[in-house]
Amino acid sequence: MSVRLVVHGHFYQPPRENPWAEEVPVEPSAAPFHDWNARITAECYRPNGWARILDERGRITEVVDNYEYLSFNVGPTLLSWLERHEPAVYARILEADACTGGAIAQGYNHAILPLCDERDLRTQLRWGLADFAHRFGRPARGMWLPETAVNDDVLAALAAEGVVFTILAPSQALAVRPLGERGIDRGAADPGAGGDGWIDVSDGSIAGGRPYRWFGPGGETVDLVFYDGPISHDLAFGLSGLSSQELIRRVLASAAAGSAVCVATDGETFGHHHKFADRALAFAFAHEAAANGVRVVSANALVAEETPTHEVRIRESAWSCAHGVGRWKTDCGCATGGEPGWNQAWRSPLRAALDVVRDHGKEVFERRGSALLHDQWAARDAYVEVLLGRVTIEDFLRTHLRGDVAPATVADTPQGSTAVTPAAVEARTLLEAQRQALLMYTSCGWFFNDLAGIETLQVLRYAARVIDLLEELHEADGLESAFLSVLGTARSNQDEEGDGLAIWQRHVVPARVDAARVVSHLALVALLDEREPPSTAGGYQVEDHLRARAARGGLIGVAGAVGLRHLRTGRRFDHVYAAVHLGGLEVFGATRGADPSRDPAKFAELAAAVERGERVTALLRLIVDGFGPREFGLEAALPGAAEQIVAGAAEALAARFASQFEHLYSENRGLLDALVTAGYPLPTELRMPAEVALGYRFERAVAGGELAAAREVVVDARRA
């Protein structure tokens, strides 16, 4: 019988979206790409879908879909990003699973499950399983545990959710014994001492490549597949990974006839960590394995083919920490990156600070959610169906909102949607706060080396978002100060970053987006960008936007009234604003909540002042007095959008310059032609405007599909 090989790829990226705007901001460290998702997609996720096999002359001889051979999981947060931004890659992954069934599920946002409380553990599993079923069109039999972090409670929860198996590192097993020994009363026997038939494998010596059965106290079971530690390590951390030939040679050396070898590593190994490793993997799958009698199967297939013959006990542990799960709560010494002498003493206060927010939010959810929802915890588990678009928010509320708090109709939207009644908005806000609280425990916040790392800043921003949502419910009194009093005891390894409070003020507060900031952003767009204003911005639907624009000399002013509705909570916000463009990129404006009793008079007063030609200082006073107190400048643009607004302004200015140059060129074309004919070399002052004019005319002709006009421009350019 041939040797079976399972190569499991754990494909995952943490959620990177700004928690308010729900867009990924620019990540400079990922340059030249916009962000790390985009960069790793180009280096890994796309190449593995179309892995090239080349001949000795570098010509493509074959294209292999590695996902069809791999056993793999893809994190839900990565899948959601791929679905939106890289649909071809997303479709390739789903099609591969439909062909060979290699995919398994993953805990939703990669929280360390042994550190979750019971309710969060269940929700992480249920959301991950629901996400998998939605995308892959079938229930998951297996589930990848983030960082393979496990204990008996996690396995019991897996069994309760119907999960058949998971994959662990060999170092996570304590002891094994034949299933025939289960009739013996184990009592208090030490599994590491050989009692009751147990064989100690706590040194990592468990034989991999076959499923073992774990039994819970109530008789529940989960099958565990342990990967080959040395091969997996060298595949992931060798200087250049393993060649296709070396991988298969190592597999054959490790396996007995008819047995199996499982290797597991981060999927990003294949192309991102090791360039062109996707090609080596493709050759191993498509050629080297078959040539050496190795059959490539998925973990799903292995568990289906082979019934466990041994029982196993495990310890609380993870594949990336030698200290159990200390990496995500203590200064255990495990870290990635950083400088000599750095520590991770910040991990404990970070988790303690987040626990303050979590526990406060759960008390509010328990108290207020029970008055709104039939079963608030069941509603939280089911909320993933809304996030996935499987059910509308209206249908969700119809199922979960208590009838005595949900009037049948409302009058504040044209559709009369029950999703925006006060009770519905309150329920949606509570559920969103819970979603953000789950996200703030994403494991990457602790994995690396510093409190000011981009992954740690991300989990802090989720905490800020929870606080803001509870503030909308008037349930955040003292919460932020209590949170910061704990976070402030954490300190960065970088002296310039300081403590947790300084990091919060420098990196988290500027990322916050509320309705007033969205209104300020819309005012900036109206002033500096000549494109149509957006219909959605910063996580809000722009339902109404009445605006007026005036110009006097070099001064441009705008004023308007905006109605926003939050896309997640359904809460409506009405604001007014006024702003002036003072020249260059200098902008001054103010915004406040709408007030029908004074708004018409303030708009009229400002318009009259502009018509009279009042001084700029007088206009600024009118803006502050009439539309304050929230003042803003260019810094109020939504995260990552200031550059876009500036680019829009630059494009509009460039178009005006080009138009003027084209006008000058057209008026003086005869003289320019005469100079060229006479052999006079055109100076830069004449050549540059002509080149700009012709280039602008050419681009416009091509964009409009006017090929004949484009050819005429080329002829003119050659003549000039």
Side-chain angles (χ1 to χ4, degrees):
M1 184 184 294
S2 63
V3 170
R4 289 165 294 172
L5 169 62
V6 175
V7 179
H8 187 87
H10 165 51
F11 295 91
Y12 160 73
Q13 291 300 311
R16 303 182 184 278
E17 291 81 3
N18 173 285
W20 294 268
E22 300 198 31
E23 296 286 349
V24 179
V26 174
E27 294 178 325
S29 59
F33 294 88
H34 178 274
D35 55 74
W36 279 104
N37 283 1
R39 176 170 171 173
I40 298 173
T41 297
E43 294 174 347
C44 174
Y45 307 136
R46 184 181 295 109
N48 275 287
W50 294 270
R52 302 172 180 180
I53 294 178
L54 309 179
D55 65 13
E56 64 280 358
R57 297 176 62 184
R59 297 174 300 187
I60 299 172
T61 61
E62 193 174 350
V63 174
V64 176
D65 183 355
N66 283 344
Y67 298 112
E68 289 191 1
Y69 292 88
L70 281 166
S71 172
F72 67 90
N73 67 282
V74 186
T77 53
L78 173 57
L79 280 171
S80 66
W81 184 89
L82 289 171
E83 181 181 27
R84 182 177 178 187
H85 297 281
E86 295 284 349
V89 177
Y90 177 75
R92 189 75 162 177
I93 292 170
L94 300 190
E95 290 164 2
D97 177 73
C99 180
T100 57
I104 65 174
Q106 179 203 287
Y108 186 74
N109 62 270
H110 216 265
I112 299 303
L113 299 180
L115 296 179
C116 291
D117 64 25
E118 183 180 359
R119 290 200 184 278
D120 284 1
L121 169 60
R122 299 285 180 170
T123 301
Q124 288 284 349
L125 297 181
R126 289 171 182 173
W127 282 22
L129 292 169
D131 188 274
F132 182 92
H134 167 66
R135 298 183 189 281
F136 291 94
R138 60 180 177 85
R141 297 184 69 246
M143 189 172 216
W144 181 265
L145 303 178
E147 300 294 334
T148 75
V150 71
N151 60 15
D152 288 334
D153 290 338
V154 170
L155 292 179
L158 282 182
E161 298 303 321
V163 175
V164 175
F165 74 92
T166 190
I167 301 169
L168 298 179
S171 60
Q172 296 181 270
L174 275 178
V176 299
R177 69 175 179 181
L179 283 175
E181 299 289 329
R182 279 198 52 77
I184 300 174
D185 180 13
R186 289 178 294 183
D190 180 1
D196 290 347
W198 288 104
I199 301 170
D200 186 350
V201 292
S202 58
D203 59 355
S205 59
I206 189 170
R210 63 183 183 184
Y212 293 79
R213 186 149 291 168
W214 171 89
F215 289 88
E220 61 269 42
T221 66
V222 177
D223 288 349
L224 306 179
V225 176
F226 294 90
Y227 64 77
D228 184 292
I231 299 177
S232 298
H233 178 274
D234 292 348
L235 190 64
F237 301 110
L239 290 178
S240 58
L242 294 176
S243 68
S244 54
Q245 294 84 358
E246 181 64 9
L247 172 62
I248 299 304
R249 187 194 69 77
R250 292 280 298 275
V251 167
L252 290 171
S254 178
S259 66
V261 172
C262 176
V263 298
T265 183
D266 287 334
E268 292 75 23
T269 296
F270 308 117
H272 173 57
H273 299 315
H274 297 307
K275 191 173 183 180
F276 300 135
D278 54 293
R279 299 182 183 181
L281 195 64
F283 192 80
F285 285 154
H287 296 282
E288 200 69 25
N292 287 275
V294 174
R295 181 162 63 94
V296 180
V297 299
S298 67
N300 275 317
L302 178 66
V303 171
E305 290 177 3
E306 191 158 336
T307 302
T309 59
H310 285 69
E311 176 182 2
V312 65
R313 283 178 169 175
I314 54 92
R315 63 185 179 91
E316 183 170 274
S317 54
W319 73 344
S320 53
C321 181
H323 314 91
V325 291
R327 187 169 189 155
W328 299 276
K329 62 178 180 178
T330 64
D331 185 11
C332 71
C334 294
T336 297
E339 301 295 331
W342 280 22
N343 66 71
Q344 284 71 52
W346 51 268
R347 285 174 175 160
S348 181
L350 171 64
R351 183 167 289 275
L354 296 181
D355 288 348
V356 170
V357 176
R358 179 199 64 190
D359 294 345
H360 182 91
K362 283 191 172 177
E363 186 280 324
V364 174
F365 186 65
E366 181 80 44
R367 171 167 44 84
R368 293 182 62 164
S370 62
L372 293 167
L373 300 158
H374 294 299
D375 180 334
Q376 68 271 28
W377 298 109
R380 188 180 81 159
D381 288 342
Y383 186 53
V384 69
E385 303 292 340
V386 176
L387 304 177
L388 292 170
R390 287 174 59 86
V391 300
T392 65
I393 188 62
E394 288 82 5
D395 287 342
F396 174 85
L397 292 170
R398 194 173 295 116
T399 299
H400 293 279
L401 202 62
R402 289 174 47 170
D404 56 335
V405 297
T409 60
V410 295
D412 66 340
T413 66
Q415 297 81 15
S417 171
T418 58
V420 293
T421 64
V425 169
E426 181 180 348
R428 292 171 68 178
T429 305
L430 288 168
L431 288 163
E432 266 301 295
Q434 287 296 298
R435 179 172 78 97
Q436 301 291 335
L438 289 167
L439 291 171
M440 71 185 184
Y441 287 100
T442 300
S443 69
C444 300
W446 290 263
F447 186 84
F448 294 96
N449 55 71
D450 196 63
L451 182 63
I454 60 173
E455 296 84 4
T456 310
L457 296 178
Q458 183 72 4
V459 301
L460 289 174
R461 289 173 185 139
Y462 288 126
R465 181 63 179 136
V466 176
I467 294 169
D468 289 352
L469 287 163
L470 293 174
E471 180 64 40
E472 290 181 12
L473 296 169
H474 308 290
E475 291 280 4
D477 187 31
L479 177 58
E480 187 162 340
S481 61
F483 166 76
L484 291 176
S485 69
V486 180
L487 183 66
T489 64
R491 189 163 193 87
S492 169
N493 289 292
Q494 305 171 70
D495 290 339
E496 66 273 17
E497 291 289 357
D499 63 13
L501 182 58
I503 288 169
W504 178 266
Q505 294 296 334
R506 185 180 302 113
H507 298 292
V508 178
V509 171
R512 277 174 149 160
V513 177
D514 59 6
R517 184 168 180 180
V518 173
V519 172
S520 303
H521 175 85
L522 293 173
L524 292 171
V525 171
L527 274 176
L528 300 175
D529 194 338
E530 295 186 0
R531 290 171 291 190
E532 281 297 306
S535 59
T536 61
Y540 292 82
Q541 180 73 38
V542 182
E543 293 192 336
D544 305 294
H545 188 182
L546 303 175
R547 65 190 184 280
R549 180 184 175 101
R552 179 171 57 82
L555 186 73
I556 301 174
V558 294
V562 182
L564 303 174
R565 191 175 299 278
H566 197 273
L567 294 168
R568 295 289 187 189
T569 68
R571 192 179 301 277
R572 167 87 181 201
F573 298 86
D574 291 283
H575 279 252
V576 293
Y577 68 83
V580 289
H581 181 197
L582 302 173
L585 293 175
E586 189 176 358
V587 174
F588 178 81
T591 183
R592 60 169 169 80
D595 182 354
S597 67
R598 60 188 290 233
D599 293 344
K602 293 301 178 183
F603 281 126
E605 186 178 1
L606 183 62
V610 172
E611 290 177 2
R612 291 194 304 269
E614 292 280 4
R615 291 175 177 269
V616 171
T617 53
L619 293 176
L620 296 182
R621 281 196 298 272
L622 284 175
I623 290 173
V624 172
D625 294 343
F627 299 88
R630 179 84 166 252
E631 299 176 8
F632 64 86
L634 187 61
E635 77 286 343
L638 294 176
E643 293 181 0
Q644 297 173 19
I645 292 175
V646 171
E651 290 172 7
L653 183 62
R656 287 196 291 271
F657 268 73
S659 179
Q660 290 298 319
F661 283 149
E662 187 176 23
H663 179 70
L664 284 171
Y665 176 75
S666 297
E667 279 193 341
N668 297 281
R669 179 176 172 179
L671 179 56
L672 289 170
D673 287 346
L675 290 172
V676 171
T677 301
Y680 181 79
L682 295 179
T684 301
E685 294 84 353
L686 296 179
R687 177 173 292 278
M688 187 271 292
E691 290 175 350
V692 171
L694 289 169
Y696 179 65
R697 186 181 295 178
F698 179 80
E699 290 177 2
R700 192 172 54 190
V702 171
E706 301 172 1
L707 299 184
R711 281 193 292 268
E712 289 181 10
V713 174
V714 173
V715 172
D716 283 350
R718 286 174 175 169
R719 186 167 58 244

